[in-house]
Amino acid sequence: MKKVVFIFIIVTLTSCFVKRVSRPPIIGCIYNPETLQRIDSVDVVTWDSAKKDYSTETSSDVNGSFFLRVKTYYDKMAIGGEAPMGFFKFSLIKKGYEKRSIERRGKYGFTKDTIRLDSIFLKPLEK
């Protein structure tokens, strides 16, 4: 009987957590709006919750493309409750260009579906 109660408690505790998506995978391409040329080596800066600071997660390649991986977390399952609202933000930074911030909100969180940002424009700074 003690084994049955123990197993029931373990199963109940382990099934009370659900994996949620805090940021879906993101693919983007960065352009200069004046020349329509792709911009390479643009830093994609995000909030690092482990370090409690902003950090460069990736940079655009020679084709101006970048990829941010999915971020997930574990949360307590709320019976009868909705998924919490999702929010993410990242900035694009390159010397000689204006900084650009992009943010998205999801009323009921996010799925693992990839978000495609095909035309992101960074304006060159005035000389």
Side-chain angles (χ1 to χ4, degrees), residues 23-54:
R23 185 190 69 208
I26 302 168
I27 295 174
C29 197
I30 306 166
Y31 295 89
N32 180 327
E34 295 171 1
T35 64
L36 299 180
Q37 297 292 318
R38 294 179 180 204
I39 307 171
D40 65 345
S41 305
V42 177
D43 290 334
V44 182
V45 178
T46 61
W47 176 256
D48 187 339
S49 57
K51 297 177 183 175
K52 304 280 189 234
D53 196 11
Y54 290 95

mmCIF file of all heavy atoms in Angstrom, residues 23-54:
data_model
loop_
_atom_site.group_PDB
_atom_site.id
_atom_site.type_symbol
_atom_site.label_atom_id
_atom_site.label_comp_id
_atom_site.label_asym_id
_atom_site.label_seq_id
_atom_site.Cartn_x
_atom_site.Cartn_y
_atom_site.Cartn_z
ATOM 1 N N ARG A 23 10.081 31.801 -26.284
ATOM 2 C CA ARG A 23 10.384 32.465 -27.552
ATOM 3 C C ARG A 23 10.445 31.397 -28.642
ATOM 4 O O ARG A 23 11.194 30.436 -28.540
ATOM 5 C CB ARG A 23 11.725 33.187 -27.492
ATOM 6 C CG ARG A 23 11.990 33.986 -28.786
ATOM 7 C CD ARG A 23 13.385 34.520 -28.881
ATOM 8 N NE ARG A 23 14.339 33.436 -29.071
ATOM 9 C CZ ARG A 23 15.598 33.495 -28.667
ATOM 10 N NH1 ARG A 23 16.067 34.540 -28.054
ATOM 11 N NH2 ARG A 23 16.404 32.469 -28.868
ATOM 12 N N PRO A 24 9.647 31.560 -29.692
ATOM 13 C CA PRO A 24 9.701 30.594 -30.788
ATOM 14 C C PRO A 24 10.973 30.772 -31.609
ATOM 15 O O PRO A 24 11.659 31.782 -31.468
ATOM 16 C CB PRO A 24 8.464 30.939 -31.614
ATOM 17 C CG PRO A 24 8.229 32.380 -31.336
ATOM 18 C CD PRO A 24 8.681 32.626 -29.928
ATOM 19 N N PRO A 25 11.308 29.814 -32.468
ATOM 20 C CA PRO A 25 12.456 30.029 -33.350
ATOM 21 C C PRO A 25 12.171 31.190 -34.318
ATOM 22 O O PRO A 25 11.040 31.352 -34.774
ATOM 23 C CB PRO A 25 12.592 28.707 -34.107
ATOM 24 C CG PRO A 25 11.369 27.937 -33.835
ATOM 25 C CD PRO A 25 10.688 28.522 -32.656
ATOM 26 N N ILE A 26 13.186 31.984 -34.573
ATOM 27 C CA ILE A 26 13.027 33.169 -35.418
ATOM 28 C C ILE A 26 14.097 33.167 -36.509
ATOM 29 O O ILE A 26 15.276 32.991 -36.219
ATOM 30 C CB ILE A 26 13.157 34.464 -34.580
ATOM 31 C CG1 ILE A 26 12.119 34.482 -33.475
ATOM 32 C CG2 ILE A 26 13.031 35.698 -35.472
ATOM 33 C CD1 ILE A 26 12.347 35.559 -32.443
ATOM 34 N N ILE A 27 13.655 33.363 -37.737
ATOM 35 C CA ILE A 27 14.562 33.500 -38.881
ATOM 36 C C ILE A 27 14.350 34.896 -39.455
ATOM 37 O O ILE A 27 13.209 35.330 -39.608
ATOM 38 C CB ILE A 27 14.261 32.449 -39.964
ATOM 39 C CG1 ILE A 27 14.543 31.051 -39.438
ATOM 40 C CG2 ILE A 27 15.070 32.720 -41.229
ATOM 41 C CD1 ILE A 27 14.148 29.949 -40.395
ATOM 42 N N GLY A 28 15.427 35.591 -39.747
ATOM 43 C CA GLY A 28 15.289 36.933 -40.296
ATOM 44 C C GLY A 28 16.378 37.268 -41.296
ATOM 45 O O GLY A 28 17.401 36.595 -41.357
ATOM 46 N N CYS A 29 16.133 38.309 -42.057
ATOM 47 C CA CYS A 29 17.105 38.805 -43.021
ATOM 48 C C CYS A 29 17.143 40.330 -42.920
ATOM 49 O O CYS A 29 16.098 40.982 -42.898
ATOM 50 C CB CYS A 29 16.721 38.371 -44.431
ATOM 51 S SG CYS A 29 18.076 38.527 -45.580
ATOM 52 N N ILE A 30 18.341 40.890 -42.844
ATOM 53 C CA ILE A 30 18.528 42.314 -42.566
ATOM 54 C C ILE A 30 19.057 43.028 -43.814
ATOM 55 O O ILE A 30 20.012 42.576 -44.444
ATOM 56 C CB ILE A 30 19.508 42.496 -41.388
ATOM 57 C CG1 ILE A 30 19.013 41.687 -40.185
ATOM 58 C CG2 ILE A 30 19.654 43.957 -41.036
ATOM 59 C CD1 ILE A 30 20.035 41.512 -39.107
ATOM 60 N N TYR A 31 18.417 44.169 -44.141
ATOM 61 C CA TYR A 31 18.749 44.930 -45.340
ATOM 62 C C TYR A 31 19.051 46.393 -45.010
ATOM 63 O O TYR A 31 18.552 46.926 -44.032
ATOM 64 C CB TYR A 31 17.576 44.931 -46.329
ATOM 65 C CG TYR A 31 17.229 43.595 -46.905
ATOM 66 C CD1 TYR A 31 16.319 42.767 -46.268
ATOM 67 C CD2 TYR A 31 17.796 43.177 -48.098
ATOM 68 C CE1 TYR A 31 15.986 41.534 -46.810
ATOM 69 C CE2 TYR A 31 17.468 41.953 -48.645
ATOM 70 C CZ TYR A 31 16.564 41.128 -48.000
ATOM 71 O OH TYR A 31 16.238 39.920 -48.529
ATOM 72 N N ASN A 32 19.806 47.028 -45.896
ATOM 73 C CA ASN A 32 19.994 48.467 -45.895
ATOM 74 C C ASN A 32 18.854 49.034 -46.751
ATOM 75 O O ASN A 32 18.731 48.675 -47.920
ATOM 76 C CB ASN A 32 21.350 48.815 -46.507
ATOM 77 C CG ASN A 32 21.621 50.299 -46.547
ATOM 78 O OD1 ASN A 32 20.721 51.113 -46.710
ATOM 79 N ND2 ASN A 32 22.890 50.641 -46.402
ATOM 80 N N PRO A 33 17.997 49.924 -46.193
ATOM 81 C CA PRO A 33 16.843 50.404 -46.954
ATOM 82 C C PRO A 33 17.199 51.306 -48.142
ATOM 83 O O PRO A 33 16.407 51.435 -49.075
ATOM 84 C CB PRO A 33 16.033 51.182 -45.918
ATOM 85 C CG PRO A 33 17.014 51.599 -44.898
ATOM 86 C CD PRO A 33 18.051 50.517 -44.857
ATOM 87 N N GLU A 34 18.380 51.901 -48.127
ATOM 88 C CA GLU A 34 18.774 52.803 -49.215
ATOM 89 C C GLU A 34 19.311 52.050 -50.429
ATOM 90 O O GLU A 34 19.034 52.395 -51.564
ATOM 91 C CB GLU A 34 19.807 53.801 -48.703
ATOM 92 C CG GLU A 34 19.251 54.730 -47.637
ATOM 93 C CD GLU A 34 20.324 55.576 -46.984
ATOM 94 O OE1 GLU A 34 21.507 55.470 -47.367
ATOM 95 O OE2 GLU A 34 19.961 56.352 -46.070
ATOM 96 N N THR A 35 20.086 50.995 -50.159
ATOM 97 C CA THR A 35 20.709 50.253 -51.258
ATOM 98 C C THR A 35 20.052 48.899 -51.506
ATOM 99 O O THR A 35 20.332 48.263 -52.514
ATOM 100 C CB THR A 35 22.192 50.012 -50.948
ATOM 101 O OG1 THR A 35 22.294 49.165 -49.791
ATOM 102 C CG2 THR A 35 22.933 51.315 -50.725
ATOM 103 N N LEU A 36 19.219 48.465 -50.572
ATOM 104 C CA LEU A 36 18.575 47.144 -50.602
ATOM 105 C C LEU A 36 19.584 45.995 -50.583
ATOM 106 O O LEU A 36 19.276 44.874 -50.968
ATOM 107 C CB LEU A 36 17.612 47.007 -51.782
ATOM 108 C CG LEU A 36 16.444 47.994 -51.779
ATOM 109 C CD1 LEU A 36 15.560 47.771 -52.980
ATOM 110 C CD2 LEU A 36 15.638 47.895 -50.493
ATOM 111 N N GLN A 37 20.793 46.299 -50.123
ATOM 112 C CA GLN A 37 21.827 45.276 -49.957
ATOM 113 C C GLN A 37 21.655 44.626 -48.581
ATOM 114 O O GLN A 37 21.269 45.286 -47.607
ATOM 115 C CB GLN A 37 23.229 45.890 -50.051
ATOM 116 C CG GLN A 37 23.535 46.496 -51.396
ATOM 117 C CD GLN A 37 23.637 45.439 -52.475
ATOM 118 O OE1 GLN A 37 24.210 44.385 -52.280
ATOM 119 N NE2 GLN A 37 23.048 45.744 -53.627
ATOM 120 N N ARG A 38 21.961 43.343 -48.505
ATOM 121 C CA ARG A 38 21.909 42.640 -47.221
ATOM 122 C C ARG A 38 23.090 43.058 -46.357
ATOM 123 O O ARG A 38 24.174 43.343 -46.874
ATOM 124 C CB ARG A 38 21.926 41.135 -47.450
ATOM 125 C CG ARG A 38 20.670 40.676 -48.166
ATOM 126 C CD ARG A 38 20.686 39.205 -48.405
ATOM 127 N NE ARG A 38 19.467 38.797 -49.092
ATOM 128 C CZ ARG A 38 18.967 37.592 -49.051
ATOM 129 N NH1 ARG A 38 19.580 36.646 -48.384
ATOM 130 N NH2 ARG A 38 17.862 37.310 -49.691
ATOM 131 N N ILE A 39 22.864 43.126 -45.052
ATOM 132 C CA ILE A 39 23.896 43.584 -44.117
ATOM 133 C C ILE A 39 24.407 42.393 -43.311
ATOM 134 O O ILE A 39 23.627 41.697 -42.659
ATOM 135 C CB ILE A 39 23.342 44.659 -43.155
ATOM 136 C CG1 ILE A 39 22.682 45.795 -43.936
ATOM 137 C CG2 ILE A 39 24.440 45.178 -42.254
ATOM 138 C CD1 ILE A 39 21.926 46.768 -43.060
ATOM 139 N N ASP A 40 25.714 42.182 -43.356
ATOM 140 C CA ASP A 40 26.298 41.085 -42.581
ATOM 141 C C ASP A 40 26.817 41.576 -41.235
ATOM 142 O O ASP A 40 26.905 42.777 -40.988
ATOM 143 C CB ASP A 40 27.418 40.401 -43.369
ATOM 144 C CG ASP A 40 28.592 41.327 -43.611
ATOM 145 O OD1 ASP A 40 28.444 42.547 -43.437
ATOM 146 O OD2 ASP A 40 29.663 40.822 -43.981
ATOM 147 N N SER A 41 27.135 40.660 -40.357
ATOM 148 C CA SER A 41 27.753 40.927 -39.043
ATOM 149 C C SER A 41 26.931 41.849 -38.153
ATOM 150 O O SER A 41 27.484 42.630 -37.383
ATOM 151 C CB SER A 41 29.165 41.493 -39.221
ATOM 152 O OG SER A 41 29.945 40.628 -40.010
ATOM 153 N N VAL A 42 25.610 41.763 -38.234
ATOM 154 C CA VAL A 42 24.739 42.516 -37.334
ATOM 155 C C VAL A 42 24.541 41.666 -36.086
ATOM 156 O O VAL A 42 24.164 40.496 -36.175
ATOM 157 C CB VAL A 42 23.374 42.831 -37.989
ATOM 158 C CG1 VAL A 42 22.466 43.541 -37.009
ATOM 159 C CG2 VAL A 42 23.565 43.652 -39.247
ATOM 160 N N ASP A 43 24.825 42.230 -34.911
ATOM 161 C CA ASP A 43 24.642 41.497 -33.659
ATOM 162 C C ASP A 43 23.164 41.452 -33.285
ATOM 163 O O ASP A 43 22.481 42.475 -33.309
ATOM 164 C CB ASP A 43 25.426 42.161 -32.522
ATOM 165 C CG ASP A 43 26.921 42.005 -32.693
ATOM 166 O OD1 ASP A 43 27.353 41.036 -33.337
ATOM 167 O OD2 ASP A 43 27.665 42.862 -32.179
ATOM 168 N N VAL A 44 22.695 40.262 -32.929
ATOM 169 C CA VAL A 44 21.328 40.066 -32.454
ATOM 170 C C VAL A 44 21.429 39.904 -30.939
ATOM 171 O O VAL A 44 21.940 38.904 -30.437
ATOM 172 C CB VAL A 44 20.669 38.835 -33.106
ATOM 173 C CG1 VAL A 44 19.237 38.698 -32.620
ATOM 174 C CG2 VAL A 44 20.717 38.946 -34.621
ATOM 175 N N VAL A 45 20.960 40.923 -30.215
ATOM 176 C CA VAL A 45 21.132 41.003 -28.767
ATOM 177 C C VAL A 45 19.810 40.680 -28.077
ATOM 178 O O VAL A 45 18.773 41.248 -28.406
ATOM 179 C CB VAL A 45 21.622 42.413 -28.357
ATOM 180 C CG1 VAL A 45 21.762 42.530 -26.862
ATOM 181 C CG2 VAL A 45 22.934 42.732 -29.052
ATOM 182 N N THR A 46 19.867 39.750 -27.117
ATOM 183 C CA THR A 46 18.679 39.339 -26.363
ATOM 184 C C THR A 46 18.978 39.390 -24.871
ATOM 185 O O THR A 46 20.124 39.480 -24.451
ATOM 186 C CB THR A 46 18.250 37.907 -26.735
ATOM 187 O OG1 THR A 46 19.309 37.007 -26.419
ATOM 188 C CG2 THR A 46 17.903 37.796 -28.200
ATOM 189 N N TRP A 47 17.919 39.296 -24.073
ATOM 190 C CA TRP A 47 18.055 39.254 -22.621
ATOM 191 C C TRP A 47 18.443 37.843 -22.212
ATOM 192 O O TRP A 47 17.796 36.872 -22.594
ATOM 193 C CB TRP A 47 16.748 39.661 -21.947
ATOM 194 C CG TRP A 47 16.791 39.547 -20.461
ATOM 195 C CD1 TRP A 47 16.214 38.579 -19.694
ATOM 196 C CD2 TRP A 47 17.446 40.423 -19.548
ATOM 197 N NE1 TRP A 47 16.468 38.796 -18.373
ATOM 198 C CE2 TRP A 47 17.222 39.924 -18.247
ATOM 199 C CE3 TRP A 47 18.193 41.584 -19.704
ATOM 200 C CZ2 TRP A 47 17.719 40.551 -17.112
ATOM 201 C CZ3 TRP A 47 18.701 42.210 -18.570
ATOM 202 C CH2 TRP A 47 18.463 41.696 -17.299
ATOM 203 N N ASP A 48 19.519 37.720 -21.450
ATOM 204 C CA ASP A 48 19.962 36.428 -20.925
ATOM 205 C C ASP A 48 19.533 36.346 -19.468
ATOM 206 O O ASP A 48 20.121 36.999 -18.603
ATOM 207 C CB ASP A 48 21.480 36.305 -21.056
ATOM 208 C CG ASP A 48 21.980 34.923 -20.697
ATOM 209 O OD1 ASP A 48 21.267 34.188 -19.990
ATOM 210 O OD2 ASP A 48 23.087 34.571 -21.137
ATOM 211 N N SER A 49 18.494 35.555 -19.188
ATOM 212 C CA SER A 49 17.955 35.499 -17.825
ATOM 213 C C SER A 49 18.927 34.853 -16.847
ATOM 214 O O SER A 49 18.896 35.148 -15.655
ATOM 215 C CB SER A 49 16.614 34.754 -17.807
ATOM 216 O OG SER A 49 16.758 33.464 -18.343
ATOM 217 N N ALA A 50 19.806 33.985 -17.315
ATOM 218 C CA ALA A 50 20.789 33.367 -16.429
ATOM 219 C C ALA A 50 21.830 34.386 -15.963
ATOM 220 O O ALA A 50 22.199 34.424 -14.796
ATOM 221 C CB ALA A 50 21.470 32.202 -17.128
ATOM 222 N N LYS A 51 22.278 35.244 -16.883
ATOM 223 C CA LYS A 51 23.279 36.263 -16.555
ATOM 224 C C LYS A 51 22.657 37.556 -16.047
ATOM 225 O O LYS A 51 23.344 38.432 -15.563
ATOM 226 C CB LYS A 51 24.130 36.582 -17.790
ATOM 227 C CG LYS A 51 24.940 35.424 -18.293
ATOM 228 C CD LYS A 51 25.692 35.829 -19.545
ATOM 229 C CE LYS A 51 26.462 34.678 -20.131
ATOM 230 N NZ LYS A 51 27.096 35.021 -21.405
ATOM 231 N N LYS A 52 21.333 37.696 -16.217
ATOM 232 C CA LYS A 52 20.611 38.922 -15.851
ATOM 233 C C LYS A 52 21.183 40.141 -16.563
ATOM 234 O O LYS A 52 21.392 41.194 -15.984
ATOM 235 C CB LYS A 52 20.630 39.147 -14.328
ATOM 236 C CG LYS A 52 20.087 38.004 -13.518
ATOM 237 C CD LYS A 52 18.594 38.032 -13.506
ATOM 238 C CE LYS A 52 18.063 37.015 -12.509
ATOM 239 N NZ LYS A 52 17.135 36.092 -13.046
ATOM 240 N N ASP A 53 21.460 39.953 -17.853
ATOM 241 C CA ASP A 53 22.040 41.027 -18.651
ATOM 242 C C ASP A 53 21.767 40.745 -20.125
ATOM 243 O O ASP A 53 21.426 39.627 -20.505
ATOM 244 C CB ASP A 53 23.552 41.107 -18.411
ATOM 245 C CG ASP A 53 24.149 42.414 -18.886
ATOM 246 O OD1 ASP A 53 23.388 43.349 -19.219
ATOM 247 O OD2 ASP A 53 25.393 42.503 -18.917
ATOM 248 N N TYR A 54 21.928 41.760 -20.952
ATOM 249 C CA TYR A 54 21.797 41.575 -22.393
ATOM 250 C C TYR A 54 23.073 40.965 -22.940
ATOM 251 O O TYR A 54 24.162 41.289 -22.490
ATOM 252 C CB TYR A 54 21.516 42.913 -23.085
ATOM 253 C CG TYR A 54 20.146 43.443 -22.785
ATOM 254 C CD1 TYR A 54 19.947 44.353 -21.751
ATOM 255 C CD2 TYR A 54 19.048 43.020 -23.516
ATOM 256 C CE1 TYR A 54 18.675 44.835 -21.464
ATOM 257 C CE2 TYR A 54 17.775 43.503 -23.236
ATOM 258 C CZ TYR A 54 17.598 44.397 -22.206
ATOM 259 O OH TYR A 54 16.351 44.860 -21.921
#
